[in-house]
Amino acid sequence: MKLAVETGAVFRHYSIDDGARLIKETGFDAADMSFCDDSTEVFCMEDYREKAYEVKAAFEKYGLACSQAHAPYFFKYDSPQDDSDFQYLAIKRSIEAAGIMGVDHIVLHGVRVPYPSASRNNLDFNYGFLKGFEPLCEKYNVKISLENLSGAFTYPDLLNAMIGRLDSPWYTGLVDIGHAFCRGGLQPGDFIRQLDPGILTGLHVQDTHGIDDEHMLPYMGNIDFDDLMHALYETGYKGDFTFEACAYLTYYGAKGLLEPALRFEAAIGRKLIGDFEKISEE
């Protein structure tokens, strides 16, 4: 299990080359390439291909894997689903850029629709929205990984239903464990156990007290991480352990303490991966 971290907070303070070096030197194996952070919106501009090759070269230089990315998530329900809408175009460009980088899957949020989250209208709209990107997935060899999110796929049954309806190897699932806890009302271990076998290919690891989406480090909130690691083992999870504790990194980055913050985050990640390995040996 590779240990990964999202790049948004790092590239906000460092160049691409220095950021890739820092992520590797502070103890991570891989990066979750963020195309949705203010500091990385440049990757969705006209020179996005050149930027993608620049990132790929930096990651290769420092031996840093990039098995996951995050697409922009600012597309709105009533916007046109074509290139006349920049946010829609940005998603398309991020899929291509992820392909250039050799990313396995790119995380994409469902669109919040003006109906209750369990409504069939939600599934109908998001089916059409998501299916429209399938030709790009095939062209650039990048899967779309749907994230559990309030207003779209809040609960395990909705995520199962959407991926089942899409019925394609180009769509998988990702669980943000903080969303599972504060939006879905479930400990993430229980959320994961209720997913259909084989659909979970990625994680966003954070902690929260269960009220807001706080994006803190493990053990700072109320998530049961021992149960999480058991659930990952029980369900045969094969993906990376990817931090999205972006509030934590943003705070310490603003204080000039990003490097020690990353080292501490990596130490916690190694501890949890070690717990997973011990469970598998029992």
Side-chain angles (χ1 to χ4, degrees):
M1 182 184 290
K2 293 186 180 70
L3 178 63
V5 65
E6 59 91 16
T7 62
V10 177
F11 286 157
R12 189 177 302 122
H13 298 282
Y14 288 83
S15 68
I16 291 171
D17 187 86
D18 286 342
R21 174 187 53 78
L22 181 65
I23 291 171
K24 184 66 175 183
E25 289 182 353
T26 51
F28 294 92
D29 307 307
D32 180 351
M33 180 60 211
S34 175
F35 295 108
C36 54
D37 185 86
D38 290 344
S39 65
T40 52
E41 64 182 8
V42 66
F43 291 98
C44 297
M45 304 304 282
E46 293 300 324
D47 62 346
Y48 68 98
R49 293 188 182 94
E50 290 79 2
K51 291 294 182 182
Y53 281 112
E54 186 179 351
V55 172
K56 177 181 174 66
F59 285 173
E60 290 177 348
K61 177 180 177 180
Y62 295 107
L64 190 68
C66 186
S67 56
Q68 182 170 298
H70 200 315
Y73 51 77
F74 306 108
F75 180 81
K76 303 299 183 184
Y77 169 76
D78 56 356
S79 298
Q81 295 183 36
D82 57 45
D83 291 356
S84 68
D85 182 80
F86 176 74
Q87 297 302 334
Y88 189 85
L89 179 61
I91 294 172
K92 291 174 61 176
R93 288 175 171 175
S94 71
I95 294 171
E96 181 181 356
I100 290 171
M101 296 178 193
V103 172
D104 176 73
H105 58 270
I106 187 166
V107 181
L108 187 58
H109 290 183
V111 178
R112 187 188 299 270
V113 301
Y115 303 100
S117 62
S119 167
R120 185 169 181 80
N121 291 302
N122 177 287
L123 296 180
D124 286 345
F125 179 87
N126 275 289
Y127 173 82
F129 171 71
L130 294 165
K131 203 67 173 175
F133 298 113
E134 188 168 14
L136 290 177
C137 294
E138 295 176 347
K139 182 176 181 178
Y140 299 115
N141 195 33
V142 178
K143 301 180 188 73
I144 285 176
S145 195
L146 307 186
E147 181 173 356
N148 59 312
L149 195 72
S150 177
F153 314 119
T154 313
Y155 307 107
D157 61 329
L158 292 177
L159 193 57
N160 288 335
M162 189 76 266
I163 293 176
R165 184 172 175 183
L166 287 163
D167 191 25
S168 166
W170 296 107
Y171 298 92
T172 66
L174 176 137
V175 170
D176 182 305
I177 66 173
H179 296 171
F181 190 50
C182 70
R183 306 301 183 199
L186 292 170
Q187 279 289 346
D190 292 331
F191 191 106
I192 287 167
R193 292 183 182 96
Q194 294 179 41
L195 292 177
D196 290 339
I199 72 170
L200 181 63
T201 58
L203 296 171
H204 276 160
V205 178
Q206 57 153 312
D207 205 350
T208 172
H209 289 96
I211 300 173
D212 295 316
D213 190 17
E214 296 173 271
H215 290 280
M216 302 186 300
L217 282 184
Y219 310 120
M220 296 177 72
N222 294 329
I223 286 178
D224 186 340
F225 281 90
D226 181 63
D227 185 61
L228 169 67
M229 305 317 289
H230 276 85
L232 292 174
Y233 172 72
E234 292 165 16
T235 55
Y237 178 68
K238 303 297 184 184
D240 296 342
F241 192 83
T242 304
F243 275 114
E244 197 185 47
C246 42
Y248 160 78
L249 289 180
T250 297
Y251 178 81
Y252 285 104
K255 302 295 183 181
L257 295 169
L258 186 59
E259 181 174 348
L262 282 165
R263 291 189 186 279
F264 184 52
E265 185 174 35
I268 293 174
R270 293 296 175 195
K271 188 269 181 191
L272 287 165
I273 290 174
D275 290 347
F276 177 85
E277 292 171 347
K278 289 177 184 177
I279 293 166
S280 67
E281 293 170 358
E282 292 176 355

